[in-house]
Amino acid sequence: MNISREWLNQYVALNCDDATLCRKLTTAGIEVEKVESDSTVPAGVVAARILDRQVHPNSDHLSVCQVSDGKETLQIVCGAPNCDAGRIVPLAKIGTEFHTEEGDFKIKKSKLRGVESSGMMCSAAELGISDDNSGLMILDESIALGTPIADLYRGDTRIEVEVTPNRPDWLSMYGIARDVSCLLNEKATLPEVKLEESTVANDALVTVEAPDLCPRYIGRLIKNVKIGPSPAWLVKRLESVGLRAINNVVDVTNFVMMELGQPLHAFDLAKLSGGRVVARRAKDGEKITTLDGRNFTLSSENLVIADDTKPMALAGIMGGENSCVSDTTTDVLLESAVFNATNIRFSSRRLGISTDASYRYERGVDFDMAEFASRRAAQLILETAGGVQACAPCEKSADRPAEPVIVCRFERIRNLIGTPTTNEEMVDIFRKLHLKVDEITETSCRVTAPLFRLDLTREADLAEEVARINGLDQVPEVPVKGTVCHPVTEDAYRKLKTIRDAVIDAGFTECVNYSIIGNSTALTDGRFDENDLVKLANPLSPEVAVMRPSLFGTTLGTVERNIAHGNRELAIFELGKAFCANPEKFPEERFELMLLLSGHPHAERFSQEARVEYDFFDLKGEIEALFARFGITRYRFVKLENDNRFEPGFAAKIEIDGKVVGAAGKIAQKFVTWRNASGVYLAQIEAQAFFDAERYVRREFKALPQFPASNRDVALLASADITHAEITEFIRRSHVANLESVKLFDVFSDEKLAKENLCSMAYTLTFRRADRTLTDAEINQAVDKLRERLEKELKLTLR
């Protein structure tokens, strides 16, 4: 079992260093076998203050500084431009060893241009903390001199532990956190789950025909998901414990398994015959091909999850090849179940197949955790893959197992462990281990073991718990003090992260470029001139002389580098700061979002589908989906003229409530200097538009329609000058009764119509009521009124 320290810290505050944590885990029975840390800051680098800075007598770019680490003052020769007196910086003292890709080197006393130097002041890049090598890393004034920098910038640590077969509760991050909370005298907390359940019942979704082998099964149906790469935080969590990211839905199931110890499985609903699952014994001779491509012949001793016709998964072990979630999946059936541990162990050994899921099931999982894990996974799928819950969770469950009740005699425990532990200390240990304690007397108490502690059945087991906890060093209790200054919704980083996660969820890959660029790159965006640029007072070179006025130039550079390296299928974005010296155009600092599409959206497919290229409407659709996620509805796309960034006739400005917030279109051919047969489509949107949204990433779930819709087609002749947006906006403002949606399905023009400056447009109008089925008379009346208004007010000719 791999433990990520950073991940573990999400559930319990780790107020000790790695060595202390590993020692406490080992003495508590969770044996640590290996520790790996990705921290790159060398030992010997400490916080120091620059006391004085003088010009080097033999160099025009070096400085001679007097630096104090709190114990001694050292003379350091430095070439950084920001080594000013008074600043606190990282200091690598003599003897410090650096391990870099170029090789290893040790800091020694040396002479630079004839002046002695006794150490090296460091940038963030030299310490491996970030890529910033523009100057020395400036530390906070509150940091005490002499503080090791490695203590301030600790990387993640992976701890590999040996879990004994009787402790399946240790096979999860939260399970480990429960014991660590006792060892460190901190509180362990489950992640918060806020999930609005559907009220639509679907009892036919799950059937359990073998309740002895499947005492609990919970199925959830999530529709309209978008399969794609997982957000960075999720990928990082999985990689931190040695798992590989696959796609957002599968990654969520693996994440929750590692987080809570409850294995999950996601079925592609479209691949389930009958649209349901059945937990049953396999038929003798029945065959299944698992996800790893292996074929198995089953018997009635094996439990399978099947659809109406065939097995779709080996229950608790591995899914079937024809049931897995793929890029084309849109509807998911999420499984969270409790299986018979003995049967899973038998099937796993008999078939010669072992997985992370079977490893947990064959040792036993928490009966109570199945429901919470299901809700947790559903919430994360909705966050990372979108979609809606199509129905309420369908649960088929046997009676909840009884919790073991153990009488604990205090004197008996003291005799078994041989240490003078008081009655109060024993009770305190039990409670910190999340055991229920009641009926406390002078001689005994009654302890109820929760269902996640399958190893606690007798008094000797309680003695073992006291023994492994009692001998550890006590961690002093430090009261936690917190002051609420502003609501979290006002946090700027949270808003940026929400935008970033939304775009990543849509399938875009994030790119990050420097904010400092050259003049030529900055002026690529024709909206700006020299007077609009924020210039550096002392640039290191012409290539880093100004702050970027927009993300346009750097985005073009990103595309060119990708094309040069053969990566022609691009769906990338950048969310970053832009700077403008002209307040009449833009604020001095603002956040800008750039979206870019180029190549083929389905290059992995075959025939005609593989040749389909991105176009303007793909980009427009992504923008509309992003606006919908942020509750932005009053927007429109208006034809854009005279913008040198885009090809004429292939661009639109984006307006929200009449205010221009960005533009989108096909990049002008003059910028596409690289060899690329595909068009490049780019959108630039001011991030403030998302910050100002009335409903900030608010999700609303509604029941699926209970009554059928009715469609009517309307064909009209319109002036070629009138736009589709104007027509749909007019229909929206007309407030047609029971009109649910309007969809353009045909545009036609020929030489005759073109001479008259006309075109034919046809729309499908969809009508529906939530409480009953509409009559033809009601629909026809609404359509007739709309036709009259279209003819009278928009001067359209109805056909």
Side-chain angles (χ1 to χ4, degrees):
M1 171 67 184
N2 289 326
I3 301 170
S4 161
R5 179 189 172 101
E6 183 181 350
W7 192 353
L8 186 64
N9 196 58
Q10 300 298 308
Y11 314 106
V12 58
L14 302 180
N15 52 15
C16 64
D17 58 22
D18 292 343
T20 303
L21 176 61
C22 292
R23 177 176 58 81
K24 288 181 177 292
L25 288 172
T26 300
T27 57
I30 312 174
E31 183 179 357
V32 175
E33 294 190 328
K34 183 190 292 186
V35 180
E36 297 178 346
S37 177
D38 61 7
S39 177
T40 58
V41 179
V45 182
V46 300
R49 185 184 296 276
I50 302 175
L51 303 178
D52 182 60
R53 175 184 182 179
Q54 299 294 330
V55 176
H56 193 290
N58 302 318
S59 172
D60 58 357
H61 71 277
L62 296 177
S63 301
V64 180
C65 302
Q66 303 299 318
V67 183
S68 171
D69 66 353
K71 294 182 179 179
E72 58 180 332
T73 300
L74 303 172
Q75 179 172 285
I76 309 293
V77 177
C78 180
N82 59 341
C83 55
D84 299 323
R87 288 181 169 176
I88 297 180
V89 298
L91 170 65
K93 304 179 71 174
I94 292 176
T96 302
E97 295 185 10
F98 283 81
H99 305 284
T100 67
E101 295 180 357
E102 292 76 18
D104 300 343
F105 67 92
K106 181 184 292 188
I107 300 299
K108 301 177 181 179
K109 183 179 290 188
S110 60
K111 286 188 176 182
L112 297 176
R113 298 283 182 92
V115 177
E116 187 175 90
S117 182
S118 300
M120 180 180 77
M121 293 184 286
C122 306
S123 68
E126 290 167 331
L127 298 179
I129 296 174
S130 74
D131 295 329
D132 185 7
N133 59 0
S134 59
L136 298 179
M137 181 180 182
I138 306 302
L139 302 176
D140 190 89
E141 287 290 331
S142 62
I143 297 175
L145 300 185
T147 301
I149 304 302
D151 291 348
L152 302 176
Y153 295 90
R154 187 193 306 274
D156 195 13
T157 300
R158 181 190 294 182
I159 303 172
E160 183 179 342
V161 298
E162 176 68 23
V163 177
T164 55
N166 68 324
R167 292 303 302 270
D169 57 303
W170 286 343
L171 293 174
S172 68
M173 301 301 297
Y174 183 67
I176 295 290
R178 276 191 295 246
D179 272 33
V180 172
S181 70
C182 179
L183 300 176
L184 301 184
N185 198 27
E186 294 285 354
K187 183 180 180 181
T189 56
L190 277 167
E192 184 180 6
V193 174
K194 294 182 179 180
L195 185 67
E196 184 176 342
E197 301 285 7
S198 171
T199 57
V200 179
N202 188 357
D203 292 336
L205 188 64
V206 173
T207 301
V208 176
E209 296 180 355
D212 57 327
L213 301 183
C214 179
R216 191 176 197 188
Y217 196 106
I218 302 171
R220 287 179 182 269
L221 189 56
I222 304 175
K223 290 191 173 183
N224 301 326
V225 299
K226 183 176 179 62
I227 304 300
S230 294
W233 69 265
L234 181 53
V235 174
K236 179 181 179 182
R237 287 284 179 258
L238 295 177
E239 291 178 346
S240 70
V241 293
L243 296 182
R244 177 176 59 90
I246 299 173
N247 61 53
N248 42 16
V249 172
V250 174
D251 291 349
V252 165
T253 62
N254 288 333
F255 172 85
V256 174
M257 177 183 68
M258 298 304 300
E259 178 184 54
L260 304 175
Q262 172 64 50
L264 304 166
H265 187 67
F267 293 95
D268 186 337
L269 185 67
K271 299 176 182 177
L272 297 176
S273 176
R276 69 188 188 109
V277 291
V278 182
R280 61 170 174 82
R281 292 179 180 271
K283 300 172 184 177
D284 290 329
E286 203 168 28
K287 299 182 183 297
I288 187 174
T289 301
T290 51
L291 285 171
D292 57 1
R294 299 167 63 187
N295 298 311
F296 297 94
T297 301
L298 309 177
S299 70
S300 59
E301 295 175 315
N302 305 124
L303 181 67
V304 297
I305 307 301
D307 60 10
D308 283 350
T309 60
K310 58 188 178 302
M312 303 299 288
L314 283 173
I317 301 177
M318 183 179 286
E321 186 178 50
N322 58 354
S323 72
C324 63
V325 171
S326 64
D327 291 343
T328 60
T329 300
T330 57
D331 302 333
V332 170
L333 194 158
L334 179 65
E335 168 197 283
S336 179
V338 177
F339 299 120
N340 181 281
T342 302
N343 178 263
I344 299 299
R345 185 163 52 250
F346 168 83
S347 295
S348 178
R349 300 294 186 274
R350 183 72 175 268
L351 299 174
I353 179 171
S354 179
T355 62
D356 288 335
S358 67
Y359 187 77
R360 286 161 175 78
Y361 273 126
E362 65 188 27
R363 286 160 174 76
V365 297
D366 182 5
F367 187 94
D368 294 332
M369 185 58 75
E371 192 274 338
F372 181 84
S374 176
R375 289 193 290 117
R376 171 69 165 161
Q379 179 193 40
L380 292 176
I381 289 175
L382 294 175
E383 291 177 356
T384 60
V388 294
Q389 291 200 86
C391 63
C394 180
E395 177 176 354
K396 299 300 170 65
S397 177
D399 293 336
R400 182 176 182 269
E403 295 176 327
V405 178
I406 308 168
V407 175
C408 172
R409 295 167 293 172
F410 297 133
E411 192 59 31
R412 175 61 176 164
I413 299 296
R414 279 189 284 268
N415 291 336
L416 286 172
I417 65 177
T419 57
T421 307
T422 66
N423 300 354
E424 291 75 15
E425 288 174 339
M426 292 185 198
V427 171
D428 187 52
I429 288 173
F430 296 148
R431 286 175 171 164
K432 287 180 177 178
L433 288 171
H434 296 220
L435 310 182
K436 303 173 186 176
V437 184
D438 56 13
E439 297 185 6
I440 303 173
T441 67
E442 292 294 324
T443 59
S444 66
C445 67
R446 189 178 71 168
V447 178
T448 303
L451 294 182
F452 63 81
R453 289 303 302 269
L454 303 177
D455 61 310
L456 299 181
T457 59
R458 54 183 181 166
E459 193 175 41
D461 297 329
L462 298 179
E464 182 182 357
E465 295 302 294
V466 175
R468 70 187 187 90
I469 300 298
N470 189 54
L472 295 176
D473 298 335
Q474 296 298 313
V475 178
E477 295 186 5
V478 179
V480 177
K481 296 181 180 180
T483 302
V484 178
C485 300
H486 296 280
V488 68
T489 53
E490 295 183 11
D491 181 76
Y493 175 76
R494 177 180 178 272
K495 295 180 180 180
L496 291 172
K497 184 178 185 299
T498 304
I499 300 173
R500 184 176 288 111
D501 290 346
V503 182
I504 292 174
D505 290 348
F508 286 79
T509 300
E510 184 176 14
C511 58
V512 180
N513 291 290
Y514 289 116
S515 298
I516 307 176
I517 58 178
N519 266 50
S520 58
T521 303
L523 297 177
T524 303
D525 190 333
R527 296 176 299 164
F528 303 94
D529 56 35
E530 283 280 353
N531 296 327
D532 299 327
L533 303 182
V534 177
K535 301 177 181 179
L536 273 65
N538 186 25
L540 296 177
S541 72
E543 288 73 27
V544 286
V546 300
M547 307 299 292
R548 60 182 178 186
S550 76
L551 277 58
F552 183 76
T554 52
T555 300
L556 292 181
T558 299
V559 176
E560 184 174 5
R561 284 190 297 275
N562 277 271
I563 297 297
H565 286 82
N567 182 21
R568 298 177 180 273
E569 319 304 337
L570 299 176
I572 60 176
F573 82 98
E574 181 172 5
L575 177 62
K577 272 191 175 182
F579 306 83
C580 181
N582 185 353
E584 295 182 0
K585 288 186 176 180
F586 293 102
E588 185 175 20
E589 294 185 20
R590 71 189 191 283
F591 282 99
E592 192 173 84
L593 172 66
M594 298 290 281
L595 305 175
L596 186 140
L597 296 174
S598 181
H600 306 81
H602 305 296
E604 75 284 357
R605 297 187 182 177
F606 302 92
S607 188
Q608 185 61 34
E609 288 184 339
R611 293 192 288 272
V612 174
E613 295 185 357
Y614 285 114
D615 61 18
F616 173 80
F617 296 101
D618 290 311
L619 181 62
K620 180 173 178 284
E622 295 291 355
I623 297 169
E624 289 176 332
L626 191 61
F627 283 170
R629 179 158 180 172
F630 281 81
I632 300 172
T633 58
R634 300 181 62 82
Y635 65 87
R636 66 173 187 158
F637 293 83
V638 182
K639 188 176 181 180
L640 179 62
E641 303 285 358
N642 302 323
D643 191 318
N644 76 322
R645 294 175 296 171
F646 305 109
E647 284 289 317
F650 289 88
K653 57 184 176 181
I654 306 169
E655 295 182 357
I656 298 178
D657 288 327
K659 178 182 178 182
V660 177
V661 299
K666 183 179 182 180
I667 292 181
Q669 192 62 36
K670 65 180 180 180
F671 295 120
V672 188
T673 56
W674 52 89
R675 293 183 179 181
N676 183 34
S678 301
V680 181
Y681 297 89
L682 176 142
Q684 166 268 323
I685 307 172
E686 300 300 325
Q688 190 63 40
F690 300 103
F691 300 160
D692 295 337
E694 291 182 3
R695 295 181 300 160
Y696 182 70
V697 200
R698 181 180 176 183
R699 305 284 177 82
E700 291 186 353
F701 297 93
K702 296 180 180 179
L704 294 175
Q706 300 294 309
F707 296 93
S710 297
N711 296 331
R712 295 289 188 274
D713 291 343
V714 175
L716 50 88
L717 280 176
S719 168
D721 297 328
I722 194 168
T723 65
H724 163 67
E726 290 175 307
I727 295 175
T728 54
E729 176 64 16
F730 176 82
I731 296 175
R732 185 189 68 79
R733 287 188 284 105
S734 297
H735 302 291
V736 180
N738 303 313
L739 181 61
E740 183 179 74
S741 66
V742 179
K743 183 178 180 181
L744 177 69
F745 70 86
D746 183 58
V747 177
F748 173 77
S749 181
D750 56 16
E751 292 184 5
K752 180 179 179 181
L753 292 176
K755 290 180 180 178
E756 299 177 9
N757 195 33
L758 296 174
C759 70
S760 174
M761 306 172 74
Y763 291 86
T764 294
L765 309 178
T766 301
F767 295 84
R768 192 198 307 265
R769 276 188 69 128
D771 57 345
R772 61 180 175 84
T773 301
L774 292 169
T775 65
D776 285 342
E778 290 175 307
I779 298 171
N780 292 337
Q781 182 182 9
V783 173
D784 290 341
K785 288 184 177 180
L786 177 60
R787 289 170 64 93
E788 291 177 5
R789 294 197 61 182
L790 288 171
E791 287 182 318
K792 182 178 179 180
E793 299 181 35
L794 281 189
K795 310 301 180 184
L796 303 179
T797 302
L798 277 299
R799 306 178 66 188

